[in-house]
Amino acid sequence: EVHLVESGGALVQPGGSLRLSCAASKFTFSIYAMTWVRQAPGKGLEWVSAISATGVSTYYADSVRGRFTISRDNSKNTLYLQMNSLRAEDTALYYCAKLTSPEVWLSRSDFWGQGALVTVSS
Amino acid sequence: DIVMTQSPDSLAVSLGERATINCKSSQSVLYNSNNKNYLAWYQQKPGQPPKMLIYWASTRESGVPDRFSGSGSGTDFTLTISSLQAEDVAVYYCQQYYTTPAFGQGTKVEI
């Protein structure tokens, strides 16, 4: 079955940076779009960003646009989220998820990782 | 952006009874070219990632028990658990994937 493992979560000061990784296995990573979804402690799910299978097309929520960058390395079966200018409100569990087609739109998340915890605090 | 609103925020149901969760989108998520509603339902148990139950508003994901069913079209959708089991205690989210993905706020189901 699809396997997604996030890493890179940590405690970081406001204004700091962090890069999350998501290692994918047991499916052909290069032909599926991928996405990041976050969940603040005790709160609901918030879509953050998504990237097409080729990496050519990327999309962001308004709350992170200009601060976060999504990317992927299909040779390493790995998805990334570079997070800069972090704020307290970015504190959350960050999930990576596989989408069901090569393109982002009209595509649902069918498998999710266990998440990486990012805490932004001084 | 499309806003998703679920009701109720929480509900308590006896074992074996029916649970009904509603989800309303601020715009239609029906794609006219294929007549499919781009609406999914997820189940999230404590300490676990979300698990997809239903897609295209009414299609059960492989392996999902048939006591879970989805219905609705356009802007109004429903997730029904026909006979609640102890393992169904969770938070349930609807999500539209017609445009920029958006989730409802979640509905907590308890016994």
Side-chain angles (χ1 to χ4, degrees):
Chain A
E1 186 175 272
V2 169
H3 199 48
L4 299 168
V5 179
E6 300 92 339
S7 61
L11 171 64
V12 61
Q13 292 189 338
S17 297
L18 205 58
R19 188 176 84 157
L20 302 182
S21 299
C22 172
S25 60
K26 300 186 178 179
F27 71 102
T28 307
F29 179 73
S30 61
I31 65 172
Y32 290 100
M34 298 290 293
T35 189
W36 289 98
V37 175
R38 68 185 180 184
Q39 186 169 35
K43 302 297 184 181
L45 301 169
E46 179 188 15
W47 176 79
V48 173
S49 182
I51 186 168
S52 63
T54 62
V56 169
S57 301
T58 58
Y59 307 90
Y60 300 93
D62 290 344
S63 58
V64 306
R65 187 176 292 113
R67 301 187 298 123
F68 290 12
T69 301
I70 191 171
S71 62
R72 62 191 296 159
D73 185 336
N74 286 344
S75 68
K76 296 182 178 179
N77 290 347
T78 303
L79 174 72
Y80 302 101
L81 185 67
Q82 177 67 43
M83 303 183 293
N84 299 331
S85 303
L86 282 162
R87 306 166 179 168
E89 55 265 35
D90 295 318
T91 294
L93 188 62
Y94 284 73
Y95 294 105
C96 72
K98 170 186 167 294
L99 296 176
T100 52
S101 79
E103 297 302 326
V104 169
W105 300 127
L106 303 180
S107 186
R108 61 194 180 273
S109 304
D110 57 353
F111 289 97
W112 300 58
Q114 292 294 317
L117 182 61
V118 173
T119 303
V120 184
S121 175
S122 55
Chain B
D1 291 354
I2 298 178
V3 176
M4 308 300 289
T5 304
Q6 292 179 227
S7 62
D9 289 335
S10 65
L11 74 160
V13 179
S14 300
L15 287 173
E17 295 300 305
R18 177 185 299 260
T20 301
I21 301 169
N22 299 302
C23 174
K24 188 174 184 67
S25 60
S26 60
Q27 302 172 40
S28 175
V29 298
L30 175 63
Y31 195 37
N32 291 328
S33 66
N34 60 9
N35 203 38
K36 290 187 183 295
N37 289 282
Y38 284 74
L39 188 285
W41 288 96
Y42 296 87
Q43 175 194 63
Q44 187 177 33
K45 297 181 179 180
Q48 295 185 21
K51 172 190 173 184
M52 189 172 65
L53 299 176
I54 303 279
Y55 58 96
W56 289 333
S58 60
T59 302
R60 257 189 313 274
E61 178 73 322
S62 175
V64 173
D66 61 6
R67 63 179 180 272
F68 291 93
S69 64
S71 63
S73 183
T75 61
D76 292 281
F77 302 92
T78 300
L79 174 70
T80 301
I81 309 172
S82 60
S83 176
L84 191 78
Q85 305 300 302
E87 61 264 33
D88 301 333
V89 169
V91 179
Y92 293 83
Y93 295 93
C94 62
Q95 182 212 22
Q96 65 82 13
Y97 49 104
Y98 182 74
T99 62
T100 305
F103 294 90
Q105 79 275 19
T107 296
K108 186 175 185 179
V109 174
E110 302 172 301
I111 295 176

